[in-house]
Amino acid sequence: MAEKEEQFYLVRSDVLPESMKKTLQAKELLERKKVASVFDAVQQVDLSRSVFYKYRDAVFPFRAMVKQRMITLFFHLEDRTGTLSELLAIVARSGGNILTIHQTIPLQGRANVTISLNTAGMHTDIQSLLDELRALAYVDKVEILSSEA
């Protein structure tokens, strides 16, 4: 039987069930050594241990993704032939491993592109990469969507 591939989603905290939020709070207490045990952590956040164990390996704070050196970049680009290809080539030359790409349909000669990448293998620092991307004539805007990158 083939192993099912894990999928991950980025979800705003206000739509998470309370049990997942409390699991995150308990994990943070444990990580920061504010409590001595899982029992103490779940008691402090008013969560059952069974719910904690159900979600502890399934829900992660966004900063955990950043620690793994995964970031998401947002671009506002002119709609010209080859722009996305050139942008991706620059990221690849820097050693960034592109994980996902999402591009909107161009409207009024502009398109939005979101790229998620793993920066662990990069030989260029993030700021240098951003500077090179911002210098491109067809790039109107580059932002890092991850807050701790």
Side-chain angles (χ1 to χ4, degrees):
M1 184 171 161
E3 215 174 293
K4 186 177 178 186
E5 182 179 326
E6 290 183 334
Q7 292 184 344
F8 293 89
Y9 300 92
L10 183 61
V11 180
R12 278 192 345 254
S13 64
D14 63 322
V15 297
L16 284 176
E18 199 61 32
S19 56
M20 287 185 175
K21 290 178 189 178
K22 288 182 176 187
T23 299
L24 287 166
Q25 291 171 349
K27 287 174 64 170
E28 185 169 351
L29 288 171
L30 289 162
E31 183 180 311
R32 294 176 183 241
K33 301 196 185 312
K34 299 287 184 186
V35 291
S37 66
V38 170
F39 177 81
D40 294 337
V42 296
Q43 193 171 37
Q44 190 166 326
V45 298
D46 191 29
L47 182 70
S48 73
R49 284 188 309 162
S50 62
V51 170
F52 174 80
Y53 286 117
K54 177 180 180 180
Y55 292 124
R56 75 171 177 177
D57 294 327
V59 62
F60 305 96
F62 183 69
R63 69 180 177 277
M65 296 296 282
V66 174
K67 285 180 183 174
Q68 293 185 18
R69 311 212 5 132
M70 294 192 329
I71 63 169
T72 300
L73 301 176
F74 170 83
F75 300 87
H76 191 67
L77 309 172
E78 282 184 38
D79 180 30
R80 287 197 227 166
T81 303
T83 56
L84 183 58
S85 174
E86 186 177 347
L87 190 138
L88 296 176
I90 291 169
V91 172
R93 277 195 308 271
S94 75
N97 180 24
I98 297 168
L99 303 170
T100 64
I101 302 167
H102 178 265
Q103 179 177 353
T104 62
I105 294 173
L107 297 173
Q108 299 177 347
R110 301 277 188 268
N112 294 327
V113 176
T114 306
I115 298 173
S116 295
L117 62 134
N118 184 328
T119 62
M122 286 182 55
H123 45 77
T124 303
D125 65 270
I126 295 294
Q127 191 57 54
S128 297
L129 174 63
L130 292 174
D131 291 344
E132 185 176 358
L133 294 167
R134 286 182 178 124
L136 297 170
Y138 54 81
V139 173
D140 293 335
K141 182 199 263 185
V142 180
E143 292 180 2
I144 297 177
L145 295 183
S146 57
S147 60
E148 298 179 29

